[in-house]
Amino acid sequence: MRRPVHRLAMAAAVMTAVTAGVLPASPAGAESRPQSPAGAESRQLVGTWSTASDRLTPTDRLAVTIGGQTVRMVARISIGGSGLRVRLSNVFGRKPVTFKNVHLGLQAYGAELVTKSNRPLTFARRKWITVQPGQAIWSDPLEEKISGRQDVVVSAYIPTAVEEVTGHDRAYATTYLSTPGDHAAEETAESFTGTSTQWYFLDRVAVTTGGGAGSVVALGDSITDGTGQGSDANRRWTDYLYQRFGRVPAAKRMGVLNVGIAGNRVLQPGVGPSALSRFKRDVLSQPGVRTIVVLEGINDISRGEYTSAKPLIDAYKKMIKLAHAKKLRILGGTLTPFYGYSTWTEEREEIRQQVNVWIRTNKAFDAVIDFDKAVRDPGFPAQLAAPYDHGDHIHLSDAGRRRLAYTVRLSQLV
């Protein structure tokens, strides 16, 4: 059950879109960063929430054709600020998608919004936008401030059917689907009779902050995506991480962005594009990104036919080079155990150990986060410690995901 919101983080007065810094739709391969308003050099746009997108089709888990209805999606932001913007993506679409009457509010419970919190979003000062295939677009900013760790709700009316939706399959969050028609401005839940556990089109939220704030981007697979948690639980290891940031002085907080995809691999496409191929789009183009945490590679090992760690190591080196070219810090997370999982073999375990030795000793990453050491069984390091095992011997329990978050030293991320 979600905790009801008892106070507004946005002013109840009507929010007026700031027209400075309006962005055109951006190509899929381009860096899509909104710019701070003119005269605000001491302030910058920082990502406060993100997800990694892929193409959703009717063959995917719970995927449906979207259109002729309103989609209402919930995202828990990490850092607060003003000038909030959302990004809608058609990166994986093959036809244009039109969005009308997009709104942003605060969640009360389920599809119901806090009274008088729902505000219209504009795109280049228009109430509608058509996003071409392969593109994404940011909304104009809202003026009022919003505090961090809020459940914001984006409602968008999609007038025509979209069969190939750009979205995120395993949101572990409830999305609400309306009866036919435009219900985006409504704050009640009556029209939202259907649900899904996917995010559609929405892939980023950013705010304007001061004091040199930045964001940390977590690149990964199901361990980062949050497999094992309940729907609407917000118990990804990155959720626990931004909870930690909430207890430090505001000037030291960072946005925490999760771009994990369950089933994703570093080297080969499969569930989503490979991590290496999506690195520029999902990581480097995030607004305000300062630090990157890489925790990915176990699917390459557990499902691949590699005979050594070299292919993975070479991929990590490419990511490091790309990050350093942007003057960003990049941290390497050691790969966690999977003994007892259906695809475990001694040969694959040896490759995992080779990868972890390289991460720990090569000093190619700016710092190392030893996730493996944190959650392995001290008496049998090839397997997860029982309290951290979700039950399938590869995914983590809530305690395991929390343990990952507390393994990160916040000073490593600044």
Side-chain angles (χ1 to χ4, degrees), residues 1-11 74-77 105-118 146-153 234:
M1 179 177 295
R2 289 188 180 276
R3 184 178 63 247
V5 179
H6 298 294
R7 54 180 295 188
L8 295 182
M10 298 177 181
V74 183
R76 180 165 293 181
I77 62 173
L106 295 177
Q107 185 184 40
Y109 178 76
E112 184 175 344
L113 306 183
V114 171
T115 302
K116 296 183 180 180
S117 72
N118 207 20
I146 184 169
S147 59
R149 299 172 67 182
Q150 297 266 15
D151 289 323
V152 300
V153 181
N234 291 297

Side-chain angles (χ1 to χ4, degrees), residues 116-194:
K116 296 183 180 180
S117 72
N118 207 20
R119 302 289 178 257
L121 292 171
T122 59
F123 298 82
R125 293 179 288 180
R126 296 175 297 182
K127 294 182 179 179
W128 61 274
I129 189 68
T130 297
V131 184
Q132 298 299 319
Q135 297 185 343
I137 190 166
W138 287 92
S139 71
D140 303 329
L142 295 173
E143 288 184 328
E144 277 72 7
K145 292 183 179 180
I146 184 169
S147 59
R149 299 172 67 182
Q150 297 266 15
D151 289 323
V152 300
V153 181
V154 177
S155 304
Y157 173 50
I158 303 162
T160 57
V162 183
E163 294 183 355
E164 290 187 330
V165 176
T166 295
H168 188 84
D169 184 32
R170 299 188 185 187
Y172 301 105
T174 304
T175 287
Y176 302 91
L177 307 172
S178 80
T179 55
D182 181 0
H183 303 280
E186 298 173 9
E187 293 185 328
T188 62
E190 281 79 0
S191 299
F192 294 88
T193 58

Side-chain angles (χ1 to χ4, degrees), residues 43-109:
R43 301 177 64 78
Q44 64 175 338
L45 281 148
V46 175
T48 184
W49 177 88
S50 188
T51 190
S53 293
D54 191 11
R55 179 181 292 114
L56 302 179
T57 70
T59 59
D60 287 326
R61 184 181 61 89
L62 300 179
V64 295
T65 298
I66 299 297
Q69 64 191 143
T70 304
V71 176
R72 177 160 285 180
M73 295 162 290
V74 183
R76 180 165 293 181
I77 62 173
S78 55
I79 193 172
S82 60
L84 183 145
R85 303 171 184 239
V86 305
R87 196 177 85 152
L88 301 176
S89 176
N90 190 26
V91 164
F92 293 95
R94 294 176 181 171
K95 295 181 180 179
V97 178
T98 296
F99 303 93
K100 291 186 177 180
N101 204 23
V102 182
H103 277 61
L104 183 136
L106 295 177
Q107 185 184 40
Y109 178 76

